[in-house]
Structures are given as structure tokens and as C-alpha cells.
Amino acid sequence: MKMLARSRLFAPLFVGLTSSAWLALWVWDAGPYARYLRHASWAELPLVGTICREVPGASLTIAALLHSAAWLLMIAAMMLPSAFPLFDTFRRMTVARDNRRTLMALLIVGYATTWALFGVVAHGFDAALHLVADKVPSLLVNGWLIGAAIVALAGLYQFSSLKHRCLDKCRSPLMFIAEHWRGKSARRESFVLGISHGAFCIGCCWALMLLMFAIGTGSVGWMLALGAIMSAEKNFRWGRSIGKPLGVALLAWSAWIVVQHARIV
């Protein structure tokens, strides 16, 4: 009876965790540190700016901590709902084990680790683009070209076979667990399972996630919209039908950006 009661609590707790992440992002976006999400200068931020100016090395450390905290909040808010079928299937498969909570925690940590590594790469790529733009005046003036290219890339990727192969893996959680988890070295396999699923999840969604950098990572509305699209793609039967119309829409958006700026020129 206790096991059944705990099973019924899993979905509400998962919803509560995801909702808390969205609430934290909304509060952050509405607070005095909202500019941080939009790549503000650290010297402009209250309190943090003072620390960065007075303590050697503090700027880099605080930047890394805040970037990491914001990115993990975004992942919790946007990607955990799309991975719920895997977590729930894994919970049911390990419900009789005494260490089931530890195994679930390792699965989630593995999943988050993969997305954290992707965040490092994505933020590094974004920082490199800003550095190049600062040194090339023509690129800085025509920064909209980078935005249009990212939107077009996201649109084209919707038609790629790689995306659909990764999507198939994510849409079949039971088969995925059967392929990657035997339960012999349960803790290690749980962590690796989370990493593996996170890798395929990135394979599905990396191009759409890059839109966050083109649009601005502080836009909670865009995060909510993209998170809903990615969850629908992976969790609903009709999700596969979203891909091509979304790809066409993104390509049209990229073309519109080009046309609008061509008129100005």
C-alpha cells in the first residue's frame, strides 16, 4: 500500500519540481538581476558589480556560478517535462529495489550532466561570436545575419534524419532503458543511462536550444514556447507532425529577417 501511495506521488512531485523551476526563472526575470540573463556587464549589477571590482578573480567565478545556475534552471524547466516518460518508466522498473531513490537521483544527475556540458559548449560558442563581433565592426553592425543564420539552421535541422533518429530513441523510453540498463552495476548504469538519454535529447533539440541565444536567454516566454514544442515532439503521438511545419516556419522567419534588413540597407 505504501509503495502504491508513493507511486501516485511521483507525477505530482515531478510537476512541482518543474513548476518551481519555471517560478524561479520568472522571479529571476522580474528581479534586479534580470539583466544578467541578457548578458549584462557584471559591473552594472547591484552588489555583484562591487564584488567583481574589489575581489581579484571574483568576476569570472561569479559569472560561472550564475551562468550555471541559470542554465540548470532552464534545463529543469524546459527539458524535464520532455524526459518524464523515461523517468517514470525507470521508476516503475526499479520500484522493488531498496536503493530506487538513489538510482533515480543518479539517472537525473546523469541527464543534467549531459545538458550542463552542452551548456558549456553553447555558452562558449556564444561568447566566441560576441568576441569576433566586437573585433569585426562590419559583423557587429550586421549582427542580425548571425541571428538569421541560427534561425535558418534550426529550421533546416527539423528536416534532418539525425534529428528523427534521436527523436525515435526519446519517444521509446522502455526500449531505451532495455538497451542501456541491465541492473547488474545498478548505480553506474543509472548514471550512464541518464547521460545517454541526455545525449539523444540534445540530438533532438540542440538547434532549437540555440534559438535561445539568438533570441536572448532571458526570455521566459520563449523558453516556455520552445519547451512546450520539444515536449510535444517527444511525448505525443502527433508530435512527429510538428517537425516539418516548424522547420518551414523557422526558414520563413529567417527569410523575413533578411528581407527586413535588406530594405533598411
Side-chain angles (χ1 to χ4, degrees):
M1 186 65 71
K2 286 184 178 180
M3 191 173 292
L4 181 60
R6 289 169 182 168
S7 176
R8 290 174 177 173
L9 282 174
F10 183 75
L13 286 173
F14 202 86
V15 171
L17 175 63
T18 305
S19 300
S20 297
W22 280 113
L23 179 62
L25 283 173
W26 178 78
V27 171
W28 195 331
D29 188 52
Y33 292 92
R35 287 176 295 170
Y36 149 71
L37 294 173
R38 299 173 177 84
H39 305 289
S41 169
W42 296 105
E44 298 176 5
L45 298 177
L47 181 61
V48 172
T50 302
I51 296 175
C52 290
R53 287 189 294 269
E54 298 297 331
V55 181
S59 178
L60 181 60
T61 301
I62 292 175
L65 289 174
L66 289 179
H67 269 300
S68 299
W71 181 254
L72 289 176
L73 270 177
M74 291 177 194
I75 294 307
M78 297 175 68
M79 304 313 303
L80 284 184
S82 71
F84 175 77
L86 177 87
F87 297 139
D88 189 49
T89 302
F90 185 78
R91 175 194 60 80
R92 287 187 274 111
M93 291 181 66
T94 59
V95 69
R97 289 177 175 263
D98 293 334
N99 61 345
R100 58 187 177 276
R101 293 188 183 88
T102 300
L103 299 181
M104 177 60 72
L106 288 169
L107 174 65
I108 294 175
V109 169
Y111 184 80
T113 297
T114 306
W115 274 104
L117 292 174
F118 174 77
V120 171
V121 174
H123 279 90
F125 177 71
D126 183 63
L129 281 179
H130 281 81
L131 185 63
V132 171
D134 289 341
K135 294 183 176 180
V136 181
S138 60
L139 187 59
L140 185 62
V141 173
N142 298 296
W144 58 270
L145 283 171
I146 297 175
I150 291 174
V151 173
L153 176 64
L156 290 172
Y157 192 66
Q158 291 300 112
F159 299 93
S160 72
S161 59
L162 176 60
K163 176 185 173 69
H164 291 294
R165 286 199 298 270
C166 292
L167 190 57
D168 286 340
K169 291 286 186 180
C170 294
R171 288 170 62 87
S172 306
L174 183 58
M175 291 181 61
F176 191 87
I177 293 173
E179 290 175 2
H180 294 83
W181 196 81
R182 297 292 182 269
K184 295 179 180 179
S185 302
R187 295 188 179 188
R188 180 185 63 81
E189 289 180 12
S190 298
F191 181 70
V192 173
L193 176 63
I195 289 178
S196 300
H197 188 74
F200 280 105
C201 195
I202 289 172
C204 295
C205 308
W206 67 269
L208 290 177
M209 290 297 288
L210 286 184
L211 289 177
M212 296 304 306
F213 293 89
I215 299 165
T217 54
S219 175
V220 176
W222 274 109
M223 279 189 272
L224 184 60
L226 290 175
I229 289 171
M230 289 183 282
S231 294
E233 272 192 318
K234 290 195 284 186
N235 295 341
F236 295 100
R237 292 181 180 178
W238 47 267
R240 182 180 288 276
S241 64
I242 295 176
K244 290 182 180 179
L246 178 60
V248 171
L250 289 171
L251 290 173
W253 183 15
S254 177
W256 180 81
I257 293 173
V258 172
V259 169
Q260 288 295 107
H261 285 83
R263 287 179 178 178
I264 296 174
V265 175

